[in-house]
Amino acid sequence: MCKESATKCESIFSRHNLSKLNQGIIQPDGRITISLKHLAGHEQGTEALVYQTTCGYKLISLAPDVKKVYIEVTTLCNFDCITCIRNSWEDELGIMELPVFQLLVEQLSDLPNLECVHFGGFGEPLSHPHIFEMLKSVKNLGVDVEMISNGSLLTGEVAGKLVDLGLDRLFVSLDGPDEAEFNDIRKGADFNSIIANIRNFNRVKSERHANRPELAIEFVAMKKNYHKLPQLARLLDELQARYLLVTNVLPYCEELKEEIVYDLDDTVPLFGNDSTWLMMRAQLPHMKLRTLRNCKFIEDKALTITWEGNVAPCYALMHSYKCYIYGREKKIFPHHLGDIKDKSVKAIWTDPVYAVFRSTVKDFHFPSCTDCKYLEGCSMADDNEMDCWGNSPSCAECLWSRGIIVCP
């Protein structure tokens, strides 16, 4: 029986069937060029990687089919939020140099399926001195462009520039509907000034008769603010936000271990009479571990790029840090597939090493360490370097794949 899930394997063939699709020879390194015109979803002549499984040969397309790119233009921020990943890392802080970004834009133009570029990562994009030039350069590629911001720098002048350059979506982080919890969570922030900035943003859009950028609100749920989620959802109409994106907190410091709310029973209404209404207005995360695991980045054919130019498969693997999974400390090491200064995004994406990684994650052939009966005393769960199934890096405890942690 094939170790991969029968419903999720990409393409399994016997050697006999494989020979019908390819007139060439399987090379010693397993990389060949074959005609996939008989297979739905593949372009004729697409180069594919072939490797043997227990039930045949698996074909992994090496097409440059990236659809979404997340760009971290900076890891600097004017806030000091208690929920921030920077509370637990030792990575250098910095901004993406303009020549590196310009090189990246050239490489993005060589991705035929690219649909969207998101400016985000682990910093405040509006703090980058060349952010508007960057946004415009990507918008000129003819793709959707979106950005996330803490809202503090969203002045009337900034709003006008975002409207004029054609930004498609703007996510503003808002962890509460009032000052009480918000200012405590987001150190250095002022709730009222951010709300005023959002209102000015909407005024600028109205004055220019613009429908875009669409506004969305992102909310990080924890015990201290979760009870006010319905109140925040009611604020959406006043803020003219299209929807509310809710994610659970991932504790990056020990103090937040007791703030998680994703051990609640999500089979019953969590907000009484407000539950149904809230589900209509907000994209809510899961509150329990589920059997099914899916990687949004793999399903969306997405990748991330750090401010230094390193390509990583997802947010979780961009940097080195520690976090707490259900109260247990775990060290996360980054997984970079290449540097855009040395190799193009297209070449990195189609490299067999990256292709096999994506295939493994798509099948989600990883153990489930979080609820494993052997977890206690297992040192392999202390970090993501390797798991007991031999995966390196391991995605065995990724809460993104569980739908507990979400991102735009």
Side-chain angles (χ1 to χ4, degrees), residues 199-381:
R199 288 179 176 141
N200 284 331
F201 169 76
N202 289 324
R203 176 183 54 79
V204 170
K205 285 176 58 180
S206 178
E207 291 174 351
R208 304 190 184 197
H209 306 287
N211 295 323
R212 294 187 175 238
E214 293 177 347
L215 176 66
I217 302 299
E218 183 178 34
F219 175 89
V220 179
M222 59 191 83
K223 286 181 180 177
K224 66 173 58 188
N225 67 356
Y226 194 54
H227 63 289
K228 290 192 175 181
L229 189 54
Q231 186 179 340
L232 178 61
R234 289 192 178 90
L235 191 60
L236 291 186
D237 289 336
E238 181 183 339
L239 299 180
Q240 300 178 40
R242 183 162 184 177
Y243 63 91
L244 172 63
L245 177 66
V246 181
T247 179
N248 280 293
V249 66
L250 178 60
Y252 294 114
C253 56
E254 194 165 7
E255 291 76 11
L256 284 183
K257 290 194 305 182
E258 304 305 319
E259 284 290 329
I260 65 170
V261 292
Y262 44 86
D263 55 353
L264 299 177
D265 182 2
D266 61 356
T267 62
V268 298
L270 299 176
F271 297 100
N273 295 332
D274 287 327
S275 294
T276 301
W277 175 83
L278 184 60
M279 290 177 64
M280 296 172 59
R281 299 306 310 272
Q283 296 181 15
L284 299 174
H286 290 164
M287 289 297 179
K288 287 287 185 182
L289 295 177
R290 302 298 186 196
T291 300
L292 182 64
R293 290 179 285 174
N294 285 297
C295 176
K296 168 183 169 60
F297 290 90
I298 299 299
E299 298 299 330
D300 290 351
K301 295 186 183 297
L303 57 81
T304 65
I305 301 175
T306 73
W307 67 272
E308 295 172 297
N310 293 313
V311 173
C314 63
Y315 271 160
L317 297 177
M318 292 177 76
H319 296 286
S320 176
Y321 57 94
K322 68 177 180 181
C323 61
Y324 292 85
I325 307 295
Y326 285 88
R328 178 173 43 81
E329 182 177 322
K330 190 178 187 77
K331 176 69 175 178
I332 303 297
F333 296 97
H335 184 54
H336 296 158
L337 285 307
D339 187 330
I340 65 167
K341 299 186 292 295
D342 303 322
K343 194 175 180 180
S344 72
V345 174
K346 179 179 179 179
I348 293 171
W349 179 265
T350 57
D351 187 281
V353 173
Y354 196 177
V356 170
F357 176 80
R358 292 196 303 274
S359 178
T360 301
V361 177
K362 185 175 179 63
D363 295 342
F364 228 90
H365 189 62
F366 296 92
S368 180
C369 301
T370 313
D371 53 353
C372 176
K373 65 180 180 180
Y374 301 113
L375 176 61
E376 186 176 353
C378 178
S379 61
M380 299 194 80

Side-chain angles (χ1 to χ4, degrees), residues 59-111:
L59 304 184
I60 302 176
S61 172
L62 298 180
D65 53 356
V66 181
K67 290 186 177 181
K68 188 169 185 177
V69 172
Y70 292 79
I71 304 176
E72 178 186 71
V73 293
T74 181
T75 51
L76 301 176
C77 185
N78 56 334
F79 286 178
D80 186 21
C81 303
I82 63 174
T83 57
C84 186
I85 190 175
R86 286 185 298 276
N87 292 320
S88 72
W89 74 7
E90 298 178 357
D91 289 22
E92 181 182 357
L93 301 180
I95 66 172
M96 182 176 285
E97 299 293 337
L98 196 55
V100 175
F101 180 81
Q102 291 168 339
L103 176 63
L104 173 58
V105 173
E106 293 177 8
Q107 296 177 11
L108 295 181
S109 66
D110 200 27
L111 300 175

Side-chain angles (χ1 to χ4, degrees), residues 135-180:
L135 292 169
K136 184 176 181 180
S137 295
V138 175
K139 189 61 187 174
N140 287 341
L141 296 177
V143 300
D144 279 5
V145 180
E146 56 188 36
M147 180 177 65
I148 189 167
S149 171
N150 61 33
S152 64
L153 303 177
L154 190 61
T155 63
E157 180 183 0
V158 168
K161 291 181 179 180
L162 296 179
V163 171
D164 290 344
L165 62 82
L167 185 71
D168 292 283
R169 280 170 294 281
L170 176 66
F171 296 85
V172 176
S173 299
L174 205 60
D175 294 333
D178 53 41
E179 292 183 83

